[in-house]
Amino acid sequence: MLQLFLGLLILIFGVFLKTTKDPGFAKSKKFSWMFILIGILSIMGKLVIMYQQGEL
């Protein structure tokens, strides 16, 4: 369950980086797609593992 929560936080942070106009995050904006993809892949991976173990 913790992996789903962390994946969701990473995904939300990636979306935040993509949409923010704050100049402090300007250097980190190029990493937004990486955080979004890592978040999606970690959530999907955990759901697949839970499905295979019969927890879903």
Side-chain angles (χ1 to χ4, degrees):
M1 198 63 166
L2 179 64
Q3 292 88 354
L4 288 174
F5 179 69
L6 290 176
L8 187 64
L9 280 178
I10 292 171
L11 178 65
I12 291 170
F13 182 66
V15 171
F16 167 75
L17 279 180
K18 190 76 175 158
T19 59
T20 188
K21 303 284 189 218
D22 191 294
F25 289 109
K27 293 181 180 180
S28 301
K29 273 182 117 43
K30 61 184 172 185
F31 295 113
S32 65
W33 284 112
M34 180 185 70
F35 284 117
I36 291 170
L37 287 176
I38 289 173
I40 290 172
L41 289 175
S42 65
I43 290 171
M44 288 178 58
K46 182 60 179 174
L47 289 175
V48 167
I49 290 170
M50 289 174 66
Y51 178 73
Q52 288 177 345
Q53 293 177 347
E55 296 176 9
L56 269 181

